[in-house]
Amino acid sequence: MRRTRLMHAGLAALLMLGSWAAAGTLPASASDSPDTPTLSTGLLQAMQRDLGLSKDQAEARLKAERTATELAPTARRAAGAAYGGSWFDAESGRLTVAVTPDASPTTVRAVEAAGATVQTVEHSARQLDAAKARIDRLSAPSGVSSWHVDPAANTVVVNVVDDERTDNDVQRFVSQARKTGPVTVRTVRDAPETFAAGTVGGDPYYTGNVRCSIGFSVHGGFVTAGHCGGAGAGVRGWDGSYIGNFQGSSFPDNDYAWVNVGSGWWTVPVVLGWGTVPDQLVRGSAVAPVGSSICRSGSTTHWHCGRVLAMNETVNYSQGAVHQMTKTSVCAEGGDSGGSFISGDQAQGVTSGGWGNCSGGGETWFQPVNEILGRYGLTLHTA
């Protein structure tokens, strides 16, 4: 019994996938391959609940998103220097690739031949990324929530907290940001916060008096959020038994960490379903485009879904800025930090923070899992 509970607790935290994402399982219709796992009823119900889709719409969207995810790298290479970014268009069910006006007819045809829809924009992705990098070097006041490149709008979006938009420091930051390149200012309801929580009995893992959620299994341990514990800190499981230690941790600037696993605990390529969906397999870490549906699982609020809103966003927490984050419309609450974001059967990242809650809604950021794997030389445990 103890080993069974340990495995489920470890998995749950390890792979707290996002709702449908937790699927190492796409519907049979998502691929012509007979090896494609079948989506569970619970998984589709989670998408229907959080995204307002019918069962058929959820299945069709997963199929289209898998195609877009596989297509994105090819389309980017085809666009070359004219590349202006890409995103998944839920209405058409296709990947849209932006190109600048100087793209040759040959380039446009190559992108279209790859299977993407082409949209002409003024600024290249390189120009927008350079503008964002210049904003990253500015000192942001607390009234500035975050900033990211929006490929569909072809601009750098700076998000400011609504109640502080007239603050002198916020206005000064916005003025400086506008000098870096094309910038659009938007307002958000609240400032971002991390989602760690004080100790609550029976949840996935603890370090000191903090409870967090395990992200994804890697060979030798699991990845999670850096703000949950510093390097060397001990980690305990749901039953108080020793799991391992933080082998590496970074926060702020980044928000990632990894923990070694031992003492009777082990890793598997599974995300705990929390009784909402069956435990799911993880099969890779291909990056889902902006606009894709995505789900999250954590030890507090379990399974919830939403959309990828932005990539490479800089989030301005009270502890300092964190870079290269992905923003989603998925809700989260204290204790969900470190948990899994997944799209289809592809691991996306570990929960960092956000604003709002799962009663009134909100937004949540995650640190991309591939960045964590590369930073620490880890290998994702896949089925």
Side-chain angles (χ1 to χ4, degrees):
M1 171 65 77
R2 179 176 182 274
R3 286 181 66 84
T4 300
R5 291 188 67 188
L6 284 174
M7 180 181 72
H8 284 305
L11 289 184
L14 290 181
L15 307 161
M16 296 196 166
L17 317 186
S19 79
W20 63 280
T25 63
L26 285 178
S29 61
S31 172
D32 294 330
S33 170
D35 297 327
T36 301
T38 301
L39 267 177
S40 70
T41 300
L43 203 53
L44 293 171
Q45 288 174 342
M47 289 187 71
Q48 294 171 61
R49 177 197 65 197
D50 293 337
L51 296 174
L53 303 174
S54 68
K55 178 176 180 292
D56 288 345
Q57 288 172 330
E59 290 179 335
R61 178 155 179 165
L62 286 174
K63 179 180 179 180
E65 289 177 347
R66 166 167 280 189
T67 299
T69 297
E70 294 173 348
L71 167 63
T74 302
R76 177 168 189 160
R77 287 193 295 270
Y83 180 72
S86 64
W87 61 94
F88 176 77
D89 183 351
E91 287 195 14
S92 68
R94 300 182 66 187
L95 181 74
T96 297
V97 174
V99 298
T100 53
D102 58 350
S104 69
T106 301
T107 296
V108 172
R109 286 195 296 270
V111 175
E112 292 175 334
T117 299
V118 174
Q119 179 171 310
T120 302
V121 296
E122 182 179 356
H123 308 288
S124 69
R126 179 175 296 181
Q127 290 172 319
L128 296 176
D129 288 342
K132 181 189 172 293
R134 288 190 283 270
I135 297 175
D136 281 343
R137 293 192 284 271
L138 302 177
S139 178
S142 60
V144 177
S145 170
S146 62
W147 51 96
H148 70 275
V149 170
D150 183 338
N154 198 228
T155 186
V156 179
V157 174
V158 174
N159 297 297
V160 301
V161 179
D162 190 36
D163 290 345
E164 299 187 50
R165 64 186 185 282
T166 60
D167 177 81
N168 288 337
D169 290 338
V170 171
Q171 291 187 333
R172 185 177 303 110
F173 180 89
V174 169
S175 177
Q176 292 174 324
R178 291 188 187 281
K179 297 176 183 178
T180 68
V183 166
T184 299
V185 178
R186 298 176 185 166
T187 58
V188 295
R189 192 177 72 193
D190 296 308
E193 298 177 348
T194 55
F195 285 130
T199 301
V200 177
D203 285 299
Y205 86 84
Y206 305 87
T207 178
N209 66 344
V210 170
R211 169 171 63 84
C212 282
S213 301
I214 297 171
F216 292 95
S217 290
V218 297
H219 290 286
F222 64 82
V223 294
T224 187
H227 71 263
C228 291
V235 173
R236 308 184 310 279
W238 62 271
D239 61 350
S241 68
Y242 172 77
I243 296 177
N245 294 78
F246 278 83
Q247 298 298 300
S249 179
S250 178
F251 180 79
D253 187 29
N254 306 291
D255 193 5
Y256 51 58
W258 82 281
V259 175
N260 68 323
V261 168
S263 302
W265 292 75
W266 65 96
T267 67
V268 290
V270 175
V271 173
L272 192 66
W274 293 104
T276 301
V277 300
D279 295 350
Q280 304 292 333
L281 296 177
V282 177
R283 299 184 183 277
S285 58
V287 179
V290 169
S292 299
S293 54
I294 193 168
C295 299
R296 177 198 58 75
S297 179
S299 60
T300 300
T301 59
H302 301 176
W303 289 76
H304 286 276
C305 300
R307 295 181 301 112
V308 177
L309 299 178
M311 293 181 178
N312 191 26
E313 181 155 38
T314 300
V315 182
N316 190 35
Y317 293 128
S318 61
Q319 300 94 328
V322 177
H323 303 91
Q324 296 180 313
M325 302 274 271
T326 298
K327 180 166 67 176
T328 76
S329 63
V330 187
C331 68
E333 297 179 13
D336 287 328
S337 279
S340 315
F341 267 90
I342 190 168
S343 179
D345 54 6
Q346 301 297 303
Q348 299 298 307
V350 301
T351 302
S352 174
W355 60 267
N357 54 52
C358 289
S359 296
E363 295 177 339
T364 302
W365 287 270
F366 67 79
Q367 187 87 68
V369 69
N370 288 333
E371 181 183 358
I372 309 172
L373 300 177
R375 169 63 179 82
Y376 296 117
L378 302 169
T379 301
L380 186 68
H381 197 164
T382 59

